[in-house]
């Protein structure tokens, strides 16, 4: 993990109310977040939002947006 990753993740969790979980070793390096971290040596996160299977219904948009706007703003200033 790049320096500061844990602290940023903790701030995201505090802001959103979501729990912060580590990526299990068996699924690490399997997605875009992992590529981003490896390529740029910057913190990367996957925010799991919404309920159900993709594509999520548009009816969940307002709740997902309101739950995550704090993360977006915080991420922009960190």
């Amino acid at each position: 993990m790049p320096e500061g990753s844990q602290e940023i993740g903790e701030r995201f969790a505090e802001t959103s109310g979501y729990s912060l979980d580590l990526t299990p070793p068996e699924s690490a390096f399997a997605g875009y977040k992992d590529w981003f971290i490896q390529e740029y040596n910057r913190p990367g996160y996957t925010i799991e939002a919404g309920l159900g299977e993709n594509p999520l219904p548009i009816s969940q948009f307002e709740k997902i947006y309101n739950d995550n706007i704090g993360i977006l703003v915080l991420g922009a200033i960190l």
Side-chain angles (χ1 to χ4, degrees):
M1 287 193 301
E3 188 176 330
S5 297
Q6 182 71 30
E7 293 80 11
I8 293 170
E10 289 169 359
R11 290 183 67 185
F12 284 172
E14 184 180 312
T15 298
S16 67
Y18 292 152
S19 62
L20 176 63
D21 294 325
L22 294 176
T23 302
E26 61 273 9
S27 64
F29 310 107
Y32 177 77
K33 173 195 67 146
D34 306 300
W35 169 85
F36 176 84
I37 293 169
Q38 184 175 0
E39 185 73 17
Y40 295 102
N41 193 35
R42 302 274 301 157
Y45 306 90
T46 299
I47 309 297
E48 300 289 350
L51 299 172
E53 295 181 21
N54 285 326
L56 295 173
I58 194 69
S59 60
Q60 291 187 34
F61 178 81
E62 188 172 346
K63 177 165 180 23
I64 292 169
Y65 178 84
N66 289 330
D67 288 350
N68 290 283
I69 187 65
I71 294 172
L72 295 171
V73 171
L74 186 57
I77 62 172
L78 292 177

